[in-house]
Amino acid sequence: EIVLTQSPGTLSLSPGERATLSCRASQSVSSNYLAWYQQKPGQAPRLLIYGASSRATGIPDRFSGSGSGTEFTLTISRLEPEDFAVYYCQQYVTAPFTFGPGTKVDIK
Amino acid sequence: EVQLVESGGGLVQPGGSLRLSCAASGFTFSSNWMHWVRQVPGEGPVWVSRINSDGNSTRYADSVKGRFTISRDNAKNMLFLQMNSLRAEDTAVYYCATGAGGYYNGWGQGTLVTVSS
């Protein structure tokens, strides 16, 4: 099973600032089968990025994904008030598909 | 637009059973693989089970194998999860989810399952 580790656990930033979230895999995630989700309290996760860098339908371009192999990054270029949430990465190259423990982005 | 609505969660004693349902609309249900994913509040989601589009192939997480059964009714656009021999560690919000290729672009709102005496 591929274990995903996310850092930092919590990121405290102000609106307008840049957020950089990291996801590290215990084994190589080939073909960049890595997705990112956003989750707000009481809601289901929402797909942001798939294929490590492709934005899902309707996702603003301030969200971008990068990386390969075992190191991946989600960047939010300028935080909007609605972006404060928890973010999860997920690998879907090897079953069972696994998620990371999440990074909480909260308001500084 | 993908719409998934779960139902059937609730409080059950250890060793008991529950059947979760998921009503699907807004997409061609019979063409999509479907999944159940669960999440303990404050933790990351965990994949539980999946079923292929015509229902003849299923797969389970080791933690639920032999206790949970996934099924679907393509005529009624419904997905099910029969959960038997429930344990305290099965307590979570259960989501049905779908998507192409292993990532999930459609999620339900979730249904809470609490296993406690």
Side-chain angles (χ1 to χ4, degrees):
Chain A
E1 173 173 317
I2 295 179
V3 176
L4 299 177
T5 304
Q6 292 186 243
S7 61
T10 301
L11 195 53
S12 297
L13 295 169
S14 300
E17 289 193 296
R18 182 184 188 90
T20 302
L21 288 66
S22 175
C23 176
R24 175 174 292 178
S26 61
Q27 307 169 37
S28 179
V29 178
S30 57
S31 303
N32 290 343
Y33 282 176
L34 193 287
W36 289 92
Y37 300 84
Q38 176 193 68
Q39 188 175 34
K40 297 179 180 179
Q43 297 184 15
R46 177 176 73 140
L47 178 69
L48 299 175
I49 300 287
Y50 63 94
S53 60
S54 297
R55 272 187 301 276
T57 302
I59 301 305
D61 60 7
R62 64 180 180 273
F63 291 92
S64 64
S66 63
S68 63
T70 62
E71 301 280 347
F72 298 88
T73 300
L74 175 70
T75 301
I76 310 171
S77 58
R78 286 177 55 86
L79 282 164
E80 297 288 340
E82 62 267 28
D83 299 336
F84 292 93
V86 180
Y87 293 83
Y88 297 100
C89 56
Q90 178 222 355
Q91 65 80 20
Y92 51 98
V93 65
T94 302
F97 300 156
T98 50
F99 293 81
T103 290
K104 182 179 182 180
V105 179
D106 65 14
I107 300 176
K108 187 174 182 180
Chain B
E1 180 189 355
V2 173
Q3 282 211 314
L4 298 168
V5 180
E6 302 93 339
S7 61
L11 175 64
V12 62
Q13 293 189 338
S17 298
L18 275 178
R19 189 191 196 209
L20 305 185
S21 299
C22 172
S25 61
F27 65 106
T28 307
F29 179 76
S30 58
S31 298
N32 279 41
W33 289 33
M34 296 296 297
H35 301 252
W36 287 99
V37 177
R38 69 186 183 186
Q39 185 176 29
V40 175
E43 299 182 8
V46 175
W47 173 81
V48 171
S49 181
R50 67 92 172 143
I51 187 167
N52 71 342
S53 55
D54 60 15
N56 63 10
S57 173
T58 59
R59 193 157 181 173
Y60 301 91
D62 287 345
S63 58
V64 307
K65 203 172 294 182
R67 300 187 299 122
F68 290 12
T69 302
I70 190 172
S71 62
R72 65 191 298 161
D73 183 340
N74 284 345
K76 296 182 178 178
N77 288 356
M78 294 291 296
L79 175 72
F80 304 101
L81 185 68
Q82 177 67 43
M83 304 187 296
N84 298 330
S85 303
L86 283 161
R87 307 166 180 168
E89 54 265 36
D90 296 318
T91 294
V93 175
Y94 284 73
Y95 297 98
C96 61
T98 190
Y103 56 86
Y104 308 117
N105 63 354
W107 296 72
Q109 85 288 353
T111 187
L112 176 62
V113 172
T114 303
V115 184
S116 175
S117 55

PDB file of all heavy atoms in Angstrom, chain B residues 17-41:
ATOM      1  N   SER B  17     -25.831  -4.903  11.749  1.00  0.00           N
ATOM      2  CA  SER B  17     -25.785  -4.703  10.300  1.00  0.00           C
ATOM      3  C   SER B  17     -26.478  -3.411   9.909  1.00  0.00           C
ATOM      4  O   SER B  17     -27.388  -2.944  10.601  1.00  0.00           O
ATOM      5  CB  SER B  17     -26.475  -5.880   9.585  1.00  0.00           C
ATOM      6  OG  SER B  17     -25.817  -7.087   9.847  1.00  0.00           O
ATOM      7  N   LEU B  18     -26.042  -2.886   8.785  1.00  0.00           N
ATOM      8  CA  LEU B  18     -26.680  -1.731   8.153  1.00  0.00           C
ATOM      9  C   LEU B  18     -26.547  -1.888   6.647  1.00  0.00           C
ATOM     10  O   LEU B  18     -25.586  -2.493   6.162  1.00  0.00           O
ATOM     11  CB  LEU B  18     -26.026  -0.414   8.559  1.00  0.00           C
ATOM     12  CG  LEU B  18     -26.445   0.291   9.855  1.00  0.00           C
ATOM     13  CD1 LEU B  18     -25.618   1.559  10.045  1.00  0.00           C
ATOM     14  CD2 LEU B  18     -27.925   0.608   9.865  1.00  0.00           C
ATOM     15  N   ARG B  19     -27.505  -1.314   5.921  1.00  0.00           N
ATOM     16  CA  ARG B  19     -27.415  -1.274   4.464  1.00  0.00           C
ATOM     17  C   ARG B  19     -27.467   0.172   4.014  1.00  0.00           C
ATOM     18  O   ARG B  19     -28.471   0.855   4.240  1.00  0.00           O
ATOM     19  CB  ARG B  19     -28.550  -2.064   3.818  1.00  0.00           C
ATOM     20  CG  ARG B  19     -28.386  -2.227   2.311  1.00  0.00           C
ATOM     21  CD  ARG B  19     -29.631  -2.770   1.672  1.00  0.00           C
ATOM     22  NE  ARG B  19     -29.382  -3.271   0.314  1.00  0.00           N
ATOM     23  CZ  ARG B  19     -30.298  -3.285  -0.646  1.00  0.00           C
ATOM     24  NH1 ARG B  19     -31.522  -2.822  -0.414  1.00  0.00           N
ATOM     25  NH2 ARG B  19     -29.993  -3.766  -1.839  1.00  0.00           N
ATOM     26  N   LEU B  20     -26.400   0.614   3.409  1.00  0.00           N
ATOM     27  CA  LEU B  20     -26.352   1.968   2.863  1.00  0.00           C
ATOM     28  C   LEU B  20     -26.823   1.945   1.415  1.00  0.00           C
ATOM     29  O   LEU B  20     -26.561   0.993   0.683  1.00  0.00           O
ATOM     30  CB  LEU B  20     -24.939   2.530   2.932  1.00  0.00           C
ATOM     31  CG  LEU B  20     -24.265   2.537   4.304  1.00  0.00           C
ATOM     32  CD1 LEU B  20     -22.908   3.235   4.206  1.00  0.00           C
ATOM     33  CD2 LEU B  20     -25.144   3.186   5.350  1.00  0.00           C
ATOM     34  N   SER B  21     -27.485   3.037   1.022  1.00  0.00           N
ATOM     35  CA  SER B  21     -27.926   3.203  -0.363  1.00  0.00           C
ATOM     36  C   SER B  21     -27.392   4.517  -0.905  1.00  0.00           C
ATOM     37  O   SER B  21     -27.135   5.462  -0.152  1.00  0.00           O
ATOM     38  CB  SER B  21     -29.452   3.216  -0.444  1.00  0.00           C
ATOM     39  OG  SER B  21     -30.001   2.015   0.030  1.00  0.00           O
ATOM     40  N   CYS B  22     -27.232   4.574  -2.209  1.00  0.00           N
ATOM     41  CA  CYS B  22     -26.787   5.788  -2.877  1.00  0.00           C
ATOM     42  C   CYS B  22     -27.589   5.925  -4.164  1.00  0.00           C
ATOM     43  O   CYS B  22     -27.510   5.066  -5.044  1.00  0.00           O
ATOM     44  CB  CYS B  22     -25.296   5.711  -3.173  1.00  0.00           C
ATOM     45  SG  CYS B  22     -24.657   7.054  -4.195  1.00  0.00           S
ATOM     46  N   ALA B  23     -28.374   7.005  -4.258  1.00  0.00           N
ATOM     47  CA  ALA B  23     -29.162   7.280  -5.454  1.00  0.00           C
ATOM     48  C   ALA B  23     -28.374   8.214  -6.368  1.00  0.00           C
ATOM     49  O   ALA B  23     -27.912   9.272  -5.925  1.00  0.00           O
ATOM     50  CB  ALA B  23     -30.485   7.921  -5.066  1.00  0.00           C
ATOM     51  N   ALA B  24     -28.233   7.801  -7.613  1.00  0.00           N
ATOM     52  CA  ALA B  24     -27.411   8.543  -8.564  1.00  0.00           C
ATOM     53  C   ALA B  24     -28.261   9.187  -9.644  1.00  0.00           C
ATOM     54  O   ALA B  24     -29.276   8.625 -10.081  1.00  0.00           O
ATOM     55  CB  ALA B  24     -26.387   7.620  -9.207  1.00  0.00           C
ATOM     56  N   SER B  25     -27.854  10.369 -10.086  1.00  0.00           N
ATOM     57  CA  SER B  25     -28.512  11.049 -11.195  1.00  0.00           C
ATOM     58  C   SER B  25     -27.532  12.030 -11.833  1.00  0.00           C
ATOM     59  O   SER B  25     -26.474  12.327 -11.262  1.00  0.00           O
ATOM     60  CB  SER B  25     -29.770  11.787 -10.716  1.00  0.00           C
ATOM     61  OG  SER B  25     -29.429  12.769  -9.762  1.00  0.00           O
ATOM     62  N   GLY B  26     -27.879  12.487 -13.025  1.00  0.00           N
ATOM     63  CA  GLY B  26     -27.058  13.498 -13.693  1.00  0.00           C
ATOM     64  C   GLY B  26     -25.933  12.945 -14.539  1.00  0.00           C
ATOM     65  O   GLY B  26     -25.161  13.713 -15.117  1.00  0.00           O
ATOM     66  N   PHE B  27     -25.810  11.627 -14.590  1.00  0.00           N
ATOM     67  CA  PHE B  27     -24.779  11.010 -15.415  1.00  0.00           C
ATOM     68  C   PHE B  27     -25.246   9.607 -15.774  1.00  0.00           C
ATOM     69  O   PHE B  27     -26.247   9.116 -15.235  1.00  0.00           O
ATOM     70  CB  PHE B  27     -23.426  10.971 -14.697  1.00  0.00           C
ATOM     71  CG  PHE B  27     -23.375  10.114 -13.465  1.00  0.00           C
ATOM     72  CD1 PHE B  27     -22.730   8.886 -13.475  1.00  0.00           C
ATOM     73  CD2 PHE B  27     -23.966  10.531 -12.273  1.00  0.00           C
ATOM     74  CE1 PHE B  27     -22.680   8.090 -12.338  1.00  0.00           C
ATOM     75  CE2 PHE B  27     -23.920   9.752 -11.131  1.00  0.00           C
ATOM     76  CZ  PHE B  27     -23.274   8.520 -11.161  1.00  0.00           C
ATOM     77  N   THR B  28     -24.526   8.967 -16.673  1.00  0.00           N
ATOM     78  CA  THR B  28     -24.901   7.617 -17.111  1.00  0.00           C
ATOM     79  C   THR B  28     -24.379   6.613 -16.097  1.00  0.00           C
ATOM     80  O   THR B  28     -23.257   6.098 -16.213  1.00  0.00           O
ATOM     81  CB  THR B  28     -24.346   7.329 -18.508  1.00  0.00           C
ATOM     82  OG1 THR B  28     -24.748   8.371 -19.409  1.00  0.00           O
ATOM     83  CG2 THR B  28     -24.880   5.992 -19.018  1.00  0.00           C
ATOM     84  N   PHE B  29     -25.207   6.335 -15.093  1.00  0.00           N
ATOM     85  CA  PHE B  29     -24.804   5.498 -13.965  1.00  0.00           C
ATOM     86  C   PHE B  29     -24.286   4.136 -14.434  1.00  0.00           C
ATOM     87  O   PHE B  29     -23.259   3.659 -13.938  1.00  0.00           O
ATOM     88  CB  PHE B  29     -26.002   5.315 -13.023  1.00  0.00           C
ATOM     89  CG  PHE B  29     -25.729   4.449 -11.825  1.00  0.00           C
ATOM     90  CD1 PHE B  29     -24.997   4.935 -10.754  1.00  0.00           C
ATOM     91  CD2 PHE B  29     -26.225   3.154 -11.760  1.00  0.00           C
ATOM     92  CE1 PHE B  29     -24.755   4.147  -9.637  1.00  0.00           C
ATOM     93  CE2 PHE B  29     -25.993   2.356 -10.654  1.00  0.00           C
ATOM     94  CZ  PHE B  29     -25.253   2.849  -9.592  1.00  0.00           C
ATOM     95  N   SER B  30     -24.958   3.541 -15.381  1.00  0.00           N
ATOM     96  CA  SER B  30     -24.620   2.172 -15.796  1.00  0.00           C
ATOM     97  C   SER B  30     -23.264   2.091 -16.489  1.00  0.00           C
ATOM     98  O   SER B  30     -22.762   0.975 -16.707  1.00  0.00           O
ATOM     99  CB  SER B  30     -25.705   1.613 -16.715  1.00  0.00           C
ATOM    100  OG  SER B  30     -25.858   2.437 -17.852  1.00  0.00           O
ATOM    101  N   SER B  31     -22.671   3.208 -16.821  1.00  0.00           N
ATOM    102  CA  SER B  31     -21.362   3.206 -17.474  1.00  0.00           C
ATOM    103  C   SER B  31     -20.216   3.459 -16.510  1.00  0.00           C
ATOM    104  O   SER B  31     -19.043   3.383 -16.900  1.00  0.00           O
ATOM    105  CB  SER B  31     -21.326   4.281 -18.575  1.00  0.00           C
ATOM    106  OG  SER B  31     -22.272   4.018 -19.578  1.00  0.00           O
ATOM    107  N   ASN B  32     -20.552   3.817 -15.282  1.00  0.00           N
ATOM    108  CA  ASN B  32     -19.526   4.257 -14.337  1.00  0.00           C
ATOM    109  C   ASN B  32     -19.209   3.222 -13.267  1.00  0.00           C
ATOM    110  O   ASN B  32     -20.113   2.619 -12.686  1.00  0.00           O
ATOM    111  CB  ASN B  32     -19.968   5.537 -13.629  1.00  0.00           C
ATOM    112  CG  ASN B  32     -19.747   6.789 -14.459  1.00  0.00           C
ATOM    113  OD1 ASN B  32     -19.992   6.792 -15.647  1.00  0.00           O
ATOM    114  ND2 ASN B  32     -19.264   7.827 -13.825  1.00  0.00           N
ATOM    115  N   TRP B  33     -17.917   3.054 -12.982  1.00  0.00           N
ATOM    116  CA  TRP B  33     -17.538   2.336 -11.774  1.00  0.00           C
ATOM    117  C   TRP B  33     -17.951   3.200 -10.580  1.00  0.00           C
ATOM    118  O   TRP B  33     -17.899   4.428 -10.642  1.00  0.00           O
ATOM    119  CB  TRP B  33     -16.037   2.098 -11.751  1.00  0.00           C
ATOM    120  CG  TRP B  33     -15.564   1.088 -12.752  1.00  0.00           C
ATOM    121  CD1 TRP B  33     -16.081   0.837 -13.996  1.00  0.00           C
ATOM    122  CD2 TRP B  33     -14.447   0.204 -12.607  1.00  0.00           C
ATOM    123  NE1 TRP B  33     -15.364  -0.156 -14.615  1.00  0.00           N
ATOM    124  CE2 TRP B  33     -14.349  -0.565 -13.791  1.00  0.00           C
ATOM    125  CE3 TRP B  33     -13.508  -0.012 -11.591  1.00  0.00           C
ATOM    126  CZ2 TRP B  33     -13.373  -1.531 -13.980  1.00  0.00           C
ATOM    127  CZ3 TRP B  33     -12.535  -0.973 -11.788  1.00  0.00           C
ATOM    128  CH2 TRP B  33     -12.474  -1.722 -12.961  1.00  0.00           C
ATOM    129  N   MET B  34     -18.313   2.543  -9.506  1.00  0.00           N
ATOM    130  CA  MET B  34     -18.744   3.266  -8.307  1.00  0.00           C
ATOM    131  C   MET B  34     -17.943   2.798  -7.102  1.00  0.00           C
ATOM    132  O   MET B  34     -17.508   1.632  -7.038  1.00  0.00           O
ATOM    133  CB  MET B  34     -20.239   3.059  -8.047  1.00  0.00           C
ATOM    134  CG  MET B  34     -21.159   3.607  -9.126  1.00  0.00           C
ATOM    135  SD  MET B  34     -21.057   5.398  -9.295  1.00  0.00           S
ATOM    136  CE  MET B  34     -21.628   5.946  -7.684  1.00  0.00           C
ATOM    137  N   HIS B  35     -17.797   3.684  -6.140  1.00  0.00           N
ATOM    138  CA  HIS B  35     -16.962   3.416  -4.969  1.00  0.00           C
ATOM    139  C   HIS B  35     -17.677   3.853  -3.694  1.00  0.00           C
ATOM    140  O   HIS B  35     -18.524   4.751  -3.712  1.00  0.00           O
ATOM    141  CB  HIS B  35     -15.651   4.203  -5.058  1.00  0.00           C
ATOM    142  CG  HIS B  35     -14.828   3.906  -6.272  1.00  0.00           C
ATOM    143  ND1 HIS B  35     -13.649   3.199  -6.215  1.00  0.00           N
ATOM    144  CD2 HIS B  35     -15.006   4.242  -7.574  1.00  0.00           C
ATOM    145  CE1 HIS B  35     -13.147   3.098  -7.427  1.00  0.00           C
ATOM    146  NE2 HIS B  35     -13.940   3.722  -8.273  1.00  0.00           N
ATOM    147  N   TRP B  36     -17.299   3.222  -2.603  1.00  0.00           N
ATOM    148  CA  TRP B  36     -17.621   3.720  -1.265  1.00  0.00           C
ATOM    149  C   TRP B  36     -16.306   4.142  -0.605  1.00  0.00           C
ATOM    150  O   TRP B  36     -15.320   3.400  -0.650  1.00  0.00           O
ATOM    151  CB  TRP B  36     -18.315   2.658  -0.419  1.00  0.00           C
ATOM    152  CG  TRP B  36     -19.734   2.403  -0.824  1.00  0.00           C
ATOM    153  CD1 TRP B  36     -20.198   1.375  -1.604  1.00  0.00           C
ATOM    154  CD2 TRP B  36     -20.882   3.169  -0.470  1.00  0.00           C
ATOM    155  NE1 TRP B  36     -21.556   1.470  -1.768  1.00  0.00           N
ATOM    156  CE2 TRP B  36     -22.008   2.557  -1.069  1.00  0.00           C
ATOM    157  CE3 TRP B  36     -21.084   4.323   0.311  1.00  0.00           C
ATOM    158  CZ2 TRP B  36     -23.306   3.054  -0.929  1.00  0.00           C
ATOM    159  CZ3 TRP B  36     -22.375   4.819   0.452  1.00  0.00           C
ATOM    160  CH2 TRP B  36     -23.466   4.191  -0.161  1.00  0.00           C
ATOM    161  N   VAL B  37     -16.333   5.319  -0.019  1.00  0.00           N
ATOM    162  CA  VAL B  37     -15.181   5.877   0.685  1.00  0.00           C
ATOM    163  C   VAL B  37     -15.690   6.326   2.050  1.00  0.00           C
ATOM    164  O   VAL B  37     -16.781   6.897   2.141  1.00  0.00           O
ATOM    165  CB  VAL B  37     -14.595   7.082  -0.085  1.00  0.00           C
ATOM    166  CG1 VAL B  37     -13.434   7.712   0.687  1.00  0.00           C
ATOM    167  CG2 VAL B  37     -14.146   6.661  -1.486  1.00  0.00           C
ATOM    168  N   ARG B  38     -14.924   6.076   3.099  1.00  0.00           N
ATOM    169  CA  ARG B  38     -15.360   6.506   4.419  1.00  0.00           C
ATOM    170  C   ARG B  38     -14.335   7.437   5.040  1.00  0.00           C
ATOM    171  O   ARG B  38     -13.166   7.463   4.660  1.00  0.00           O
ATOM    172  CB  ARG B  38     -15.631   5.311   5.333  1.00  0.00           C
ATOM    173  CG  ARG B  38     -14.421   4.502   5.760  1.00  0.00           C
ATOM    174  CD  ARG B  38     -14.868   3.262   6.532  1.00  0.00           C
ATOM    175  NE  ARG B  38     -13.750   2.464   7.027  1.00  0.00           N
ATOM    176  CZ  ARG B  38     -13.884   1.287   7.631  1.00  0.00           C
ATOM    177  NH1 ARG B  38     -15.091   0.768   7.823  1.00  0.00           N
ATOM    178  NH2 ARG B  38     -12.813   0.627   8.045  1.00  0.00           N
ATOM    179  N   GLN B  39     -14.802   8.209   6.002  1.00  0.00           N
ATOM    180  CA  GLN B  39     -13.928   9.201   6.629  1.00  0.00           C
ATOM    181  C   GLN B  39     -14.321   9.401   8.083  1.00  0.00           C
ATOM    182  O   GLN B  39     -15.466   9.741   8.379  1.00  0.00           O
ATOM    183  CB  GLN B  39     -14.019  10.533   5.874  1.00  0.00           C
ATOM    184  CG  GLN B  39     -13.071  11.600   6.363  1.00  0.00           C
ATOM    185  CD  GLN B  39     -13.130  12.867   5.522  1.00  0.00           C
ATOM    186  OE1 GLN B  39     -14.160  13.198   4.942  1.00  0.00           O
ATOM    187  NE2 GLN B  39     -12.021  13.580   5.440  1.00  0.00           N
ATOM    188  N   VAL B  40     -13.361   9.177   8.949  1.00  0.00           N
ATOM    189  CA  VAL B  40     -13.520   9.530  10.356  1.00  0.00           C
ATOM    190  C   VAL B  40     -13.275  11.031  10.460  1.00  0.00           C
ATOM    191  O   VAL B  40     -12.297  11.539   9.892  1.00  0.00           O
ATOM    192  CB  VAL B  40     -12.526   8.747  11.224  1.00  0.00           C
ATOM    193  CG1 VAL B  40     -12.600   9.211  12.662  1.00  0.00           C
ATOM    194  CG2 VAL B  40     -12.774   7.245  11.110  1.00  0.00           C
ATOM    195  N   PRO B  41     -14.144  11.765  11.133  1.00  0.00           N
ATOM    196  CA  PRO B  41     -13.940  13.219  11.260  1.00  0.00           C
ATOM    197  C   PRO B  41     -12.535  13.538  11.760  1.00  0.00           C
ATOM    198  O   PRO B  41     -12.043  12.937  12.711  1.00  0.00           O
ATOM    199  CB  PRO B  41     -15.010  13.627  12.265  1.00  0.00           C
ATOM    200  CG  PRO B  41     -16.111  12.646  12.049  1.00  0.00           C
ATOM    201  CD  PRO B  41     -15.417  11.346  11.745  1.00  0.00           C
TER     202      PRO B  41
END
